[in-house]
Amino acid sequence: MKIAAAAAVVMAVALPASPAVADGSPDERPDVPVGTWLAARTQPAVQMTSFTYTGTVAVPTSTINQTAFQELVQQATATVASGKISSDERSIAKWLFQRIAADVDTYLTSTTPERTVEAEVGGLCTGWWVTPDGYMVTGAHCVQVGETELSQLFAKQALTKFNEQDAKEIISGLQGLEADEEILKLAQQIYITFNTNHMTIRGLKQSLSVLQSLPGGGVDKTAKAVPAELVSVGESYPGKDFALLKVNGQQNLPTVPLGEDADVRTGDTLYISGFPGLVTNTPFFSLESRLEPALTEGPYNAKRSTQTGVPYIQTQAPSYHGNSGGPVFSKDGKVIGMLIAGTVSETGESSESESFVLPVSIIKEKLGEKNVKPAQALTTTRYNEALNDYFRHYYEDALPKFREVQALFPNHPYVAKYISDSQQAISAGKDESPKPILMWVLIAAGVIVAIVVILVLVKVLRGRRRPQPQPAYPSPAPVGAYGAVSPPPWQQQQLPPGQGHVSPPAQPAHGAHGHGAYGQGGPGGYGSSPYGSGQQNGNLQHGGDQYGSGRHGAGQYGGDQYGGQYGGAQHGPDQYGGQYGGQYGPPAHGGPQQPHGQAQPPLGDRTRNVRYGQFSPPPNDQH
């Protein structure tokens, strides 16, 4: 019974120390900034896309129309004579080139031979996975361009060499003219216009691709372009600027969830993820840097509608060329739209205050037309759970989940880095993962075994060291929860004859102690806690009194000086809390309890020496 009581006390103290369930659900955001959480969760599903056109560009050789050119020279001579332009050769050449550039087909004529060059043009945008098997959403203008724009792209890419060569020839025809930078640019503009107007493109081919990392490579130079199929395409801005791609042979891809239009409203913060051309087209940054999406944020300004009735959201979240097609998120991590356009200044620079987002309702409408249903694979579920553990510093809990993600999707661009970071954090002793309940049970069991061994040893040693005669009543030195307890030195004295029996104190009122580690009682200072159904040590400072009516009973340490642990439960209350009271106190003999501190009347001269004074047994040694 004594060993069992000790075990119960140890379990009551040890087991409640096990941690509660980790705060929050697996999908609840940890205590990190929204942007940090969103970027980590969504970046794996956000990929760079590219569209490419290849073909053979052909332009004719040009020659000066001498008749038209001589008339122009006469006009120049008259203009000089009138004093409208200076008579120096540079001023005259500048005037001539400006007139030719304004009407190139009047002063230049196509001739042979035809010149050709193989060219490739294209653009970079942003797309994002909506299904684990390879369906991707992006903008319509990210997968195709109109004829006029396509010609401009090819002319800029393929004709530069021809334009520079032709400009030098026309300048050389004006003998004695020293060509400075201004004259050279004017001459080049003549042939930029002429060659573009007379250019033809043959064998035009288009391809679409998604830039994916290789297994174990991460977002770095091991990434490669994977071909994509165009499933459907809408109208470019200001229409329903939407396109659906399919990359075959995919499984367990990370995805992002779709929200609702009503998830956001004016004043809410929106988050745009994508690949700004300011970075991807800059050679100063490493390839790894250029292949990681950027997250920008800004307020939802207003809901707009085009003249054809297409809704758009205006936001101040910054966006740039290359961000087109990127997902736009609410603070809860759900897609509420797709970035399509931004205003551009007269110099071609993007305005950071006016970005336009196609609402998610249009995206859902277009997906429905192709019977594509957004889905989430186990890859995304485990990755999000692992991230939440990682941000809570539960590195040991996060590590196996990250490894599961890597096994499910070896091409995952970020999980290898998180695995490495988690391992380093564990090695550095930074892990704060909650310990499983089994571990605490084993710890408690170990403590119990140790205490039992100590109790047995203490009892054996005391029995050898100080044998005592067999009294008519049990020895008043039982083993309690923590071993044999002796009274304090100031209480170790012989009591006068007839005063060896001390009445127990009045039972303390139950109540000033909550359901805590050390007992139960009423409301107070610490309330409930992880050490029971109450706070750390019950209610009030530690319950009904310093330790309440639980672990040590009510009073300073219970009903008496040492209270409930040694109090009325085992032997009833007395001066030392009932460890010695209940065994010999009034309940053992019957009769009313006496006030605390008052001795029972002597029972004749039949006394016997006991450990703490004389004890008067009842007549005939009968209970």
Side-chain angles (χ1 to χ4, degrees):
M1 286 294 291
K2 296 171 184 175
I3 292 176
V9 172
V10 173
M11 291 295 286
V13 175
L15 288 182
S18 60
V21 177
D23 50 350
S25 66
D27 202 46
E28 184 177 347
R29 179 170 65 85
D31 188 19
V32 294
V34 176
T36 302
W37 180 71
L38 273 176
R41 286 167 66 95
T42 61
Q43 280 180 343
V46 180
Q47 303 281 291
M48 185 182 293
T49 66
S50 68
F51 67 92
T52 304
Y53 289 92
T54 59
T56 301
V57 177
V59 291
T61 302
S62 63
T63 185
I64 294 290
N65 184 329
Q66 291 297 330
T67 303
F69 185 73
Q70 289 300 324
E71 292 179 357
L72 185 62
V73 170
Q74 293 175 1
Q75 293 177 17
T77 302
T79 304
V80 170
S82 65
K84 293 182 180 180
I85 59 174
S86 300
S87 59
D88 61 279
E89 291 182 351
R90 183 179 182 281
S91 297
I92 295 174
K94 182 178 177 180
W95 187 89
L96 289 172
F97 287 164
Q98 288 175 340
R99 295 299 182 277
I100 294 173
D103 190 8
V104 293
D105 288 332
T106 298
Y107 301 101
L108 297 179
T109 303
S110 299
T111 185
T112 58
E114 183 182 70
R115 299 169 293 178
T116 61
V117 61
E118 297 297 323
E120 178 180 289
V121 299
L124 299 174
C125 278
T126 303
W128 37 286
W129 303 115
V130 289
T131 67
D133 60 348
Y135 280 101
M136 171 175 280
V137 169
T138 188
H141 70 278
C142 292
V143 299
Q144 64 181 18
V145 295
E147 289 187 13
T148 302
E149 186 179 357
L150 184 61
S151 295
Q152 292 173 348
L153 288 173
F154 269 109
K156 184 177 181 180
Q157 176 70 23
L159 301 181
T160 302
K161 182 179 178 180
F162 297 144
N163 296 336
E164 292 176 353
Q165 179 181 339
D166 293 344
K168 290 179 181 179
E169 289 182 2
I170 195 173
I171 291 174
S172 65
L174 299 175
Q175 298 179 357
L177 178 65
E178 183 178 349
D180 57 17
E181 184 177 354
E182 184 180 15
I183 293 295
L184 185 59
K185 284 185 177 180
L186 285 172
Q188 286 180 357
Q189 186 58 52
I190 293 173
Y191 291 99
I192 288 174
T193 304
F194 180 83
N195 289 337
T196 299
N197 291 345
H198 294 79
M199 175 187 68
T200 58
I201 304 172
R202 300 173 185 147
L204 184 64
K205 295 180 180 179
Q206 180 188 11
S207 64
L208 299 170
S209 61
V210 176
L211 219 59
Q212 279 189 294
S213 59
L214 295 174
V219 181
D220 56 22
K221 59 187 178 182
T222 63
K224 70 171 184 178
V226 179
E229 173 191 349
L230 181 61
V231 178
S232 70
V233 60
E235 298 178 0
S236 295
Y237 179 82
K240 295 180 179 180
D241 202 321
F242 168 92
L244 181 64
L245 306 180
K246 177 66 166 68
V247 178
N248 296 319
Q250 303 294 310
Q251 60 180 354
N252 294 327
L253 288 169
T255 59
V256 286
L258 300 188
E260 303 289 341
D261 288 1
D263 290 346
V264 289
R265 58 185 178 179
T266 303
D268 287 344
T269 300
L270 304 183
Y271 301 84
I272 299 175
S273 182
F275 299 90
L278 294 174
V279 174
T280 55
N281 296 327
T282 302
F284 306 113
F285 297 110
S286 67
L287 181 60
E288 180 179 358
S289 296
R290 286 182 276 167
L291 295 180
E292 181 172 343
L295 189 76
T296 60
E297 63 180 78
Y300 182 134
N301 295 132
K303 186 174 182 179
R304 305 296 186 190
S305 180
T306 67
Q307 292 182 352
T308 57
V310 180
Y312 274 91
I313 296 170
Q314 179 183 341
T315 176
Q316 281 180 275
S319 62
Y320 310 90
H321 292 297
N323 278 133
S324 289
V328 182
F329 299 96
S330 67
K331 64 180 177 59
D332 298 320
K334 294 184 178 180
V335 176
I336 55 84
M338 175 171 55
L339 179 72
I340 295 300
T343 55
V344 180
S345 66
E346 293 180 356
T347 60
E349 297 178 353
S350 298
S351 172
E352 295 187 5
S353 59
E354 295 178 12
S355 297
F356 296 95
V357 176
L358 186 71
V360 70
S361 58
I362 303 298
I363 297 172
K364 288 183 174 181
E365 170 193 317
K366 291 296 185 180
L367 290 174
E369 291 176 0
K370 294 298 179 178
N371 199 29
V372 174
K373 298 179 180 179
Q376 179 173 287
L378 186 60
T379 308
T380 302
T381 303
R382 287 290 182 268
Y383 184 70
N384 290 344
E385 291 174 358
L387 282 176
N388 284 350
D389 287 338
Y390 180 87
F391 286 130
R392 292 185 177 113
H393 309 298
Y394 298 169
Y395 301 111
E396 287 189 354
D397 287 353
L399 190 56
K401 296 174 185 175
F402 282 134
R403 285 175 173 156
E404 184 178 359
V405 171
Q406 191 176 48
L408 289 168
F409 184 55
N411 290 38
H412 197 288
Y414 303 103
V415 72
K417 182 69 165 57
Y418 279 115
I419 289 174
S420 175
D421 290 347
S422 297
Q423 290 172 331
Q424 292 179 11
I426 294 170
S427 299
K430 297 179 180 179
D431 179 64
E432 299 176 11
S433 298
K435 303 303 179 186
I437 188 67
L438 178 59
M439 178 178 291
W440 293 103
V441 170
L442 294 175
I443 291 173
V447 172
I448 293 171
V449 171
I451 289 178
V452 170
V453 171
I454 292 172
L455 292 176
V456 172
L457 290 175
V458 168
K459 189 167 185 179
V460 169
L461 291 175
R462 288 185 58 190
R464 291 180 179 176
R465 187 172 60 236
R466 212 170 124 181
Q468 295 187 11
Q470 291 292 332
Y473 299 93
S475 171
V479 179
Y482 296 96
V485 179
S486 300
W490 62 86
Q491 295 288 351
Q492 295 183 8
Q493 59 184 358
Q494 297 290 330
L495 299 179
Q499 297 187 7
H501 188 135
V502 180
S503 298
Q507 288 293 329
H510 181 72
H513 195 288
H515 290 282
Y518 302 111
Q520 44 175 283
Y526 283 94
S528 12
S529 86
Y531 294 93
S533 52
Q535 269 296 349
Q536 176 152 357
N537 294 307
N539 294 322
L540 283 184
Q541 183 179 353
H542 288 78
D545 227 306
Q546 187 168 353
Y547 285 88
S549 58
R551 182 176 175 186
H552 299 295
Q556 181 180 0
Y557 288 86
D560 245 288
Q561 188 168 353
Y562 287 92
Q565 182 180 345
Y566 310 109
Q570 185 172 350
H571 298 290
D574 85 340
Q575 185 173 359
Y576 295 101
Q579 178 171 337
Y580 313 105
Q583 186 168 343
Y584 301 105
H589 304 288
Q593 295 183 352
Q594 299 297 317
H596 178 64
Q598 296 183 11
Q600 291 279 14
L603 298 175
D605 296 330
R606 299 177 63 189
T607 64
R608 60 178 62 157
N609 291 329
V610 293
R611 191 171 179 184
Y612 301 119
Q614 293 183 336
F615 172 72
S616 301
N620 300 322
D621 291 340
Q622 302 285 328
H623 280 348

